[in-house]
Amino acid sequence: MRAFQYTRARSLSEAVTAAAAGATPLAGGTTLVELLRAEIARPAHVVDLRWVGELREWDTAGEPARIGALTSMAALAADPLMAARFPAVVESLQLAASGQLRAMATIGGNLLQASRCPAFRDGRSPCNRRAPGSGCAARTGPAHDHAVRGTSTACVAPYPGDLAVALVAADAEIETRSPAGTRRIPAAALHRAPGATPEREHVLGRGELIAAVLVPGGPTARNAAFVKVRDRGSFAFALGSAAVGLEVSAGLVIAARVVLGSVATIPWRSHEAESVLVGERLTAGTARAAADAALAGTCGPRAEAARGAVTKACLTAASRAGVS
Amino acid sequence: MSIGSPQVRADAVAKVTGVARYAADHRPPGMLHARLVTSTIARGLITSIDASDASGLPGVRAVITHHDLAGELNPVQALVDGGHFHTAACPLAGPVIRHAGQIVALVVAETGEVAERAAHAVDVRYATGPAVLDLADTDPADDVEVARWEVGDRMPGGAVAVDEVYTTPAQHHHAIELYAVLAQWRGASLEVDVPTQWVQGEQRGLAAALGVPESAVRVRAPYVGGGFGGKAVVLWHTVLVAWAARRLAAPVRLFVTRQQCATVASFRPQSTHRVRLTATSGGRLLGYEHDVRAQTSRTDTVGLAGTAMTARLYATSRIRCRETVAPVDAPTPGFMRAPAEFGHAFALESAVDELAARLQVDPVALRLRNEPARDPVTRLPFGGRHLSQCLRLGAELFGWADRDPRPRSMSDAGELIGWGCAASLYPANGGGIVECRMTLDEDGRAVVEVAATDLGTGAATVLAQIAADAAGLDPGAVVVTLGDSVLPAGLMAAGSCTTGSAGSAVYRAGLLLRAALERGESAPVTVTARWVPRGMTPALHAAHRRGSRVQLGPVRDGRVLFAYGAQFAEVRVDPVTGMVRVPRVVGVFDAGRIVNPRTARAQLVGGITWGIGHAIMERTPIDRSRAAFSGTDLGACHVATHADVGQVRVEMLDIADPAVNPLGVKGVGEIGLVGTVAAVTNAVYHATGVRVRRLPVEPAVLVSAR
Ligand SMILES: Cc1cc2nc3c(=O)[nH]c(=O)nc-3n(C[C@H](O)[C@H](O)[C@H](O)COP(=O)(O)OP(=O)(O)OC[C@H]3O[C@@H](n4cnc5c(N)ncnc54)[C@H](O)[C@@H]3O)c2cc1C
């Protein structure tokens, strides 16, 4: 690890000032400390957010629910109001990482977690995300590591997180704070597909911090499910995941959200799958058709996993919407 | 009687309270910290190493590369050639790179943090050559044959045949305790704390490489946090650290990172198995043919030939086996729990299940029908063999009779349910010559000393029970000291035979002590015993004197000696996602006399847990284009978690086999794994109708094959 300056911010404005001066924010540290030790992240300055009380406030009863960026994954996953209003969000948290990690890790940090691509993580293989211009070792590596949507010649790394997938399906917004003030960004617009600049992973500007996540209530948020496909029963990233939200009236789907995880370079909303569902009865057949539409033209272990995840998430969401 | 009682491990409290000190826990005054730098290419030459940035960091004491080591170390032999080393090739002997992740430098600094930083700052440049790692990218014409034999001269014309290919992936041990070393010199004498399965092999290997007398080297490993074969042999970083400690005249401690553990030691090689079974339409096996290919390194020919085991599972009149290895640009592969049994048994026991399905015979009945009266390979009698009893009892405990044999016929709550079974065997190895010293002191404490190792299995506790019974003492009065090369001669902890071999020496020492006390000798009394297993040939005696490893195999003294087992598994498969869960396993084992049912059960449950992992998740991915393991941390290499292991029921027949050793003990360390893998994949077939012949089972395969 390289030496860096460490600042403990006492207020959000102090944190923003430090970040605007180039400091890297530290929340639970479960991603960042690993990257520091591997010298994948080499900041000259780190600002610790953990003493910023404003970032710890949360209110899941309000409309929209407002969740401070420093809320721990474990605390949010255990909140009964969240479970009632946003079951897919809670599932995405419960199925992520391990108990110990969820106790340390925060909501804001989770959204901005780094790639799990082995070429990125080993700290030395060619990787445009870590070392722009060095190439992409993953492209010719195991198919297991390849995203099938949103890739570019520069990068094929899947976005690994679970929470962001469920938040996009819930039409959540991200509230940020920067020297320029406060703004809201749709969760769906937070992450950037790699294009030619995979090192730019999200749209936040210099000095812009995630302050909170806002989740509006509603039928598609409530009748929602998150399904994660992986080879082991716990403590594993998804091979493919999906969050699906449905609004059903008179037995017909009238609104749908279908978002794929771990199969695209960013949380991937599939309007194709949504339009297959809208106006139809949700059956095993339409669920499968939606999955096929979401993954049309793709193949490989991640695509297959995501196909299963979409199908199952459709069926679970339907049962939550009262479809029998 | 202490033997047979479920004693808690003697070191349990020390371990859970952190009092037990593992190699990396030591911190002598003046200790320096080392880290490794490993190669980024798989094959080629180092063209330059720029260590100026690293050396310039405050606190860095040395950056050791092949420039420093040239001519400093003596040539040594790999274990496979009668020596003690993982590989004969010292990674710092020259600029040659033989595999990705090879050690290219050792950085030594005053703190661990500085050493870690400095390791990142070493700039190594290479000239890269073409490299191959995956078995699929090799040409069988270049293979090296490691076994070829046959029984019977003509394949009988069987009515039914199965002829399929099964493949297993590369895997790593990933013991919870990483590789680590602490080396310190006292004058011309070297002391090394290192997690090892073989303290005296380590001692001899270090002495040979460093050019010092064996008596000047002491190796300690009182606690080992799992070995699984990875810690069986001398690893080069151990020598490098000892060399650095001498050069810098200070104790040096090395931590190897989790990722580096995958390339500085051995691994379980990829393998492919073509199995051909022929049988009568009534389900009597006639022929067994098994062709195996596996990876080896370009420096060492490691053949983990397992057909000599699997050929003994069933009665067949015609056997033809051939095993070859393909040299690739890999670290030298080696032992990993059930090294010669896991892949071979997976292949055979899958093929037997396929045969049962084709014949429409129950797989348990098919196995029972082919129980051999004599060893089909040598025609010699077996020692104790209670496989049929394991199968029958297992079937009963599992509720096998309720199984509908048709695939996809059982389901519950939207999930497909499958039941599968497989048989297991593991050689009841004889080990070699073991010595033991036992001293009764004035306080009535009996100290048992032998240079064996407790890898966390409870070996020390089990040996105390044997000593207590033999000497007629209270087990609480016995203290067992293992894991130190100055102790009387012990063996590598491998081949599931520590209890049988070290236990036999301890047993004899206990009897001698009892006799001494009965003669009226009073404390302090010291006795020494020497256990020479039956079947030691002059050649093995010579090997023992040379200090080479001696391991008597299962065919000795006119008998064929194995442990047996039968595993039954239930799987639940989500038909939409293809995710496989294993809620239930029953394993019944004929592992000879059970000295301690608690520790034995833990070993068998551990083996079954490995089997579940091997079946549904464990593999080290390979990047074929770069000839490198890709993703060697625990985020990418999954092993089973609690959530993956449902209810595991283990029964032990507990029938002593006097043909094996005086205690009648056969060994429990590895057999739990052997049949579990095929039991799970056979259950997956029963649940889904999809036959998985490539491990591990992937969810996508189960849904896309529909
Ligand atoms: C072994 C392991 C398994 C895991 N498995 C899963 C899994 O299955 N599913 C899953 O979703 N995740 C998984 N994770 C990832 C884990 O959830 C994240 O590491 C965690 O959520 C990050 O949160 P943190 O608070 O620790 O963030 P940090 O490590 O502190 O920060 C992460 C990143 O976010 C930035 N950051 C943090 N907070 C803010 C803020 N408020 N504003 C702006 N930037 C900020 C940091 O600068 C840093 O770049 C796993 C992690 C590990 C180590």
Side-chain angles (χ1 to χ4, degrees), chain A residues 39 125 231-233 312, chain B residues 116-117 574 626 638-639 644:
Chain A
E39 300 196 5
S125 298
D231 58 6
R232 86 175 165 192
K312 192 162 177 88
Chain B
E116 201 169 294
R117 174 75 270 281
D574 184 320
R626 299 200 306 144
H638 291 165
V639 297
D644 299 295

Side-chain angles (χ1 to χ4, degrees), chain B residues 301-325:
Chain B
T301 300
V302 175
L304 302 165
T307 49
M309 323 298 165
T310 42
R312 292 172 149 126
L313 207 41
Y314 302 112
T316 42
S317 53
R318 163 72 178 159
I319 305 171
R320 192 193 56 74
C321 298
R322 179 163 186 261
E323 308 205 31
T324 65
V325 290

